Amino acid sequence: MTKPVLGVLASGRGSNLQSIIDAIEKGQINASIGVVITDKPEAKALERAAAAGILAVCVDRKKCASKEEFEEKLVETLRKHDVSLVILAGFMRILSPYFVRAFKDCIMNIHPSLLPAFGGAHAHRDVLAYGVKVSGCTIHFVDEGMDSGPIILQDTVPVLPDDTEDVLAARVLEKEHVLYPKAIELYTKGKLSVSGRHVTIQE
Ligand code: GRF
């Protein structure tokens, strides 16, 4: 496999982006980041990319007349920088089938729960409200549904009696920062194969 070019999409603080940058720098992931794209000009991910010397672009959703125009600009920017694997890292937009088809089987997402439980935008709140004893994070390929694509890796954390959303989120985030680079490493080594819902990892 030729060295993959990643395109990372983020909306906020970008700590997962940082874990991927760090993993590339230390040689764990044999890939480059062609472009980081945010949907908001204030996203801290832009600063993190710039600090690492990575091209960072804001495709401001508010300046696009429609979702279609926004996604066309995303696709155009990713293609312009020869991106072969799209990494959603805290990108808080639901992407349409148009986008998913444009990068078929080449989009990964991280979700802060053990999917298929607690999908959606408020995973930690929903986990605490439900009273489950274990939560975690999931890395999955993106299909045309929400949080529904084939699962690559998962890891767990305990949910403790006094947890608040923030405390639980921080515990899960530590796992995220290990798991996302691991999944990308496996992809770049050609060790992932997908058949229907099932992702097989070659050892
Ligand atoms: C992470 O918890 C991720 O799982 C979720 O959004 C958060 C993004 O955090 N999708 P960061 O921007 O990577 O710090």
Side-chain angles (χ1 to χ4, degrees), residues 106-117:
C106 299
I107 310 173
M108 278 188 197
N109 185 39
I110 186 162
H111 183 78
S113 77
L114 295 173
L115 291 174

Side-chain angles (χ1 to χ4, degrees), residues 14-194:
S15 70
N16 278 289
L17 165 66
Q18 190 65 54
S19 73
I20 295 162
I21 292 172
D22 295 347
I24 292 173
E25 282 179 357
K26 71 177 193 219
Q28 180 193 348
I29 297 174
N30 184 27
S32 60
I33 299 180
V35 65
V36 169
I37 306 178
T38 71
D39 56 328
K40 295 178 190 146
E42 68 274 17
K44 186 152 185 263
L46 291 170
E47 290 165 39
R48 291 186 191 267
I54 295 165
L55 178 73
V57 175
C58 174
V59 177
D60 194 341
R61 173 64 184 90
K62 288 191 184 142
K63 292 194 177 153
C64 296
S66 62
K67 180 168 176 150
E68 287 74 22
E69 184 188 323
F70 172 65
E71 292 195 354
E72 277 167 20
K73 282 190 179 161
L74 293 180
V75 171
E76 190 186 307
T77 309
L78 292 164
R79 293 234 188 279
K80 186 170 152 197
H81 297 289
D82 297 320
V83 166
S84 55
L85 178 66
V86 178
I87 301 293
L88 306 181
F91 190 63
M92 303 309 282
R93 301 263 168 206
I94 295 168
L95 293 162
S96 74
Y98 157 76
F99 184 93
V100 175
R101 284 180 205 141
F103 288 93
K104 192 167 164 33
D105 299 330
C106 299
I107 310 173
M108 278 188 197
N109 185 39
I110 186 162
H111 183 78
S113 77
L114 295 173
L115 291 174
F118 308 110
H122 305 287
H124 302 304
R125 187 195 301 173
D126 297 342
V127 159
L128 292 175
Y130 201 92
V132 293
K133 304 293 188 197
V134 177
S135 189
C137 51
T138 302
I139 315 292
H140 64 94
F141 285 112
V142 173
D143 64 9
E144 292 181 21
M146 190 167 89
D147 297 328
S148 61
I151 290 171
I152 303 167
L153 291 173
Q154 293 183 301
D155 202 357
T156 59
V157 300
V159 180
L160 303 176
D162 294 332
D163 276 351
T164 61
E165 273 186 61
D166 286 350
V167 168
L168 177 60
R171 193 177 305 125
V172 173
L173 197 63
E174 264 187 54
K175 298 284 186 173
E176 295 184 33
H177 293 162
V178 177
L179 210 62
Y180 219 168
K182 181 73 195 160
I184 299 167
E185 179 193 346
L186 290 168
Y187 180 94
T188 58
K189 288 181 171 164
K191 293 196 169 187
L192 301 180
S193 51
V194 187

